[in-house]
Amino acid sequence: MGVNVRRERGKPNGGWLALAFLLALVGLVLFIPRSSVAQPADVRGWSDEAPLAPLPDLPPEYRRLREGSVTWVYRPDVEERLPELRATHAKAWPELEADLGQDVGDEVEIRIAASPEELRALVPGTPRYAVGVAIPSRGLIGVSLTAPASWEPSDAPQVLVHELSHVALRRAVAGRPLPRWFVEGVAIEHAEEHDLARFRTLFDASGGGRLHRLRDLDASFPHDTAGVSLAYAQAASLVRFLRAPHPGPDRFPRLVSKVREGAGFEAALRGAYGWSLVDFERTWREDVEGRTSSLAWLLGGGTPLTAAAFLAVWAWRKRRRRHRERLEEMDAEEREREEAIARAEAAAEVALREAETRERDAQLRVLRAARPRSSRELGVPTVEHDGENHTLH
């Protein structure tokens, strides 16, 4: 399809401006850092078989806030972040239960840290690169409000959903063992961590033949920022494939249910999807390689601008949607506060009026009781003349 561009004298050509913009988008896709976001921490304490060391006592400046089945632990100077995180938990938990197909216990303790260093003190054993950690067997979660090294704000609500997913999944399968890639992939999907860096990592590994084999993926999960990206990207892609509409919408919760009932993961996979691990891996690789080949054709066949624009718009729309959801949550909280204040003021006004009425009635009773009894009240005959009463003699 041809495009006609009319250039006016003395004005820049709009086509060149658009081209420059799209070239910048190509740079975003092709050269975006592969590990620009710190990954959530390893899951600890999945099994009850390995005893965990007791947690240290909290420093005296920390507060505990109990809200229903949730305990929040935080310092007073980060209390302003609590409303957003409380709203995130309230929205995410029922969604996690619905997706996993299981009602699980609601008890959880969430510790909020100002920094990764503080997080490691609150939950010892947290990796240095982590902004979040979960100990599912204890129902314990830690979230850092800043990222390692950079001190930039972390996406704390997204990290919280990731860690809540670990707790919910462990309870949904009654603590039975699951592949590490499955546990991490489920959490990434639940938290909607679909960033361009992870897409780029998977794209490069698929094109270069460096994807991990499924049977090696658990063992290949590294414990540092540099090596963790591909393992997480592949885990997210594998779980996204399992949760896609094509196998059937009920297959994923059926898989979780079969593991809960005691089936090993491969037996549960076969029962829910009809795949062995080998079948699943082959089908998934065909899907990923097909997508990679299509994108490679776009990037190498004369239309990189179209692909870059598509990816940039996709990422922008996702960020805009998350931003809109947060604004809606904040507006709802503000409305709720205003309504609570209005109700309290109305109740106080009613109580004040009632108190004034009671006080006035009491004063009238006192006055009536103190008034001398008149001759009329004593039974003495009287007559009224010129507005005055006169006793008859």
Side-chain angles (χ1 to χ4, degrees):
M1 179 176 63
V3 178
N4 295 323
V5 178
R6 181 174 180 269
R7 182 174 182 179
E8 298 182 16
R9 183 175 297 178
K11 294 185 179 180
N13 190 326
W16 286 107
L17 293 177
L19 179 61
F21 174 72
L22 289 176
L23 285 173
L25 295 181
V26 172
L28 173 68
V29 174
L30 296 180
F31 302 107
I32 187 168
R34 293 181 174 82
S35 302
S36 59
V37 180
Q39 301 288 347
D42 293 347
V43 181
R44 299 176 50 218
W46 185 274
S47 171
D48 292 324
E49 296 176 359
L52 293 168
L55 293 171
D57 293 334
L58 290 172
E61 67 270 20
Y62 278 82
R63 295 177 178 175
R64 281 185 176 272
L65 174 64
R66 178 78 175 185
E67 290 186 334
S69 57
V70 182
T71 300
W72 299 90
V73 177
Y74 60 95
R75 283 195 335 223
D77 57 331
V78 302
E79 188 172 5
E80 62 183 13
R81 298 296 303 274
L82 281 184
E84 181 183 23
L85 296 176
R86 288 204 301 263
T88 297
H89 170 272
K91 180 176 182 293
W93 193 257
E95 293 177 351
L96 295 176
E97 290 185 318
D99 186 65
L100 297 171
Q102 299 289 336
D103 292 329
V104 297
D106 299 334
E107 290 284 336
V108 65
E109 180 173 312
I110 302 171
R111 299 187 171 190
I112 309 301
S115 67
E117 290 76 14
E118 188 176 317
L119 179 60
R120 292 198 297 274
L122 291 176
V123 188
T126 301
R128 298 185 64 84
Y129 65 82
V131 292
V133 63
I135 306 181
S137 60
R138 285 178 170 169
L140 179 66
I141 287 171
V143 175
S144 171
L145 299 178
T146 55
S150 68
W151 288 93
E152 295 180 356
S154 66
D155 192 342
Q158 188 178 67
V159 174
L160 175 58
V161 176
H162 184 110
E163 307 306 338
L164 286 171
S165 172
H166 289 325
V167 175
L169 178 60
R170 195 261 183 190
R171 292 176 179 175
V173 298
R176 301 188 186 279
L178 287 170
R180 171 67 186 279
W181 62 263
F182 183 80
V183 174
E184 293 297 343
V186 168
I188 291 170
E189 283 294 290
H190 282 158
E192 298 184 354
E193 300 169 22
H194 303 148
D195 57 76
L196 285 176
R198 185 167 287 126
F199 171 83
R200 171 67 176 172
T201 299
L202 189 67
F203 174 81
D204 286 350
S206 178
R210 293 183 292 104
L211 290 174
H212 297 295
R213 291 180 300 179
L214 200 55
R215 66 169 181 252
D216 300 330
L217 190 54
D218 270 4
S220 65
F221 259 88
H223 296 271
D224 55 35
T225 308
V228 78
S229 296
L230 177 56
Y232 274 94
Q234 192 166 334
S237 179
L238 285 160
V239 173
R240 189 179 309 123
F241 187 75
L242 287 174
R243 297 174 76 240
H246 57 82
D250 61 334
R251 300 296 182 91
F252 182 74
R254 193 186 308 172
L255 170 66
V256 173
S257 178
K258 288 185 176 298
V259 174
R260 181 184 182 89
E261 292 167 2
F265 183 79
E266 183 166 8
L269 181 69
R270 191 184 297 276
Y273 291 87
W275 290 329
S276 66
L277 281 176
V278 173
D279 295 333
F280 168 52
E281 181 174 11
R282 182 179 64 252
T283 307
W284 169 78
R285 280 181 178 270
E286 290 172 354
D287 180 75
V288 170
E289 289 167 1
R291 295 172 185 270
T292 301
S293 299
S294 299
L295 185 57
W297 179 83
L298 286 171
L299 295 175
T303 58
L305 304 182
T306 302
F310 170 78
L311 292 172
V313 169
W314 173 78
W316 173 76
R317 290 183 64 181
K318 179 176 181 294
R319 287 195 300 271
R320 186 181 66 172
R321 177 170 58 82
R322 287 184 58 81
H323 180 66
R324 183 172 63 250
E325 289 175 352
R326 291 183 188 177
L327 289 178
E328 290 173 353
E329 291 171 358
M330 293 173 65
D331 288 343
E333 291 173 3
E334 185 64 26
R335 286 195 301 272
E336 185 176 345
R337 283 195 294 270
E338 291 176 352
E339 291 171 358
I341 292 172
R343 288 194 298 269
E345 290 177 344
E349 186 175 350
V350 169
L352 180 61
R353 286 200 299 267
E354 292 176 349
E356 290 175 345
T357 301
R358 288 194 297 270
E359 183 178 359
R360 186 168 57 252
D361 293 345
Q363 290 174 350
L364 290 174
R365 286 194 297 271
V366 170
L367 289 174
R368 292 192 186 103
R371 184 187 303 167
R373 297 181 67 186
S374 64
S375 299
R376 183 188 301 271
E377 293 171 339
L378 293 172
V380 179
T382 61
V383 295
E384 185 176 342
H385 178 70
D386 292 335
E388 296 182 356
N389 290 326
H390 300 276
T391 304
L392 296 177
H393 299 282

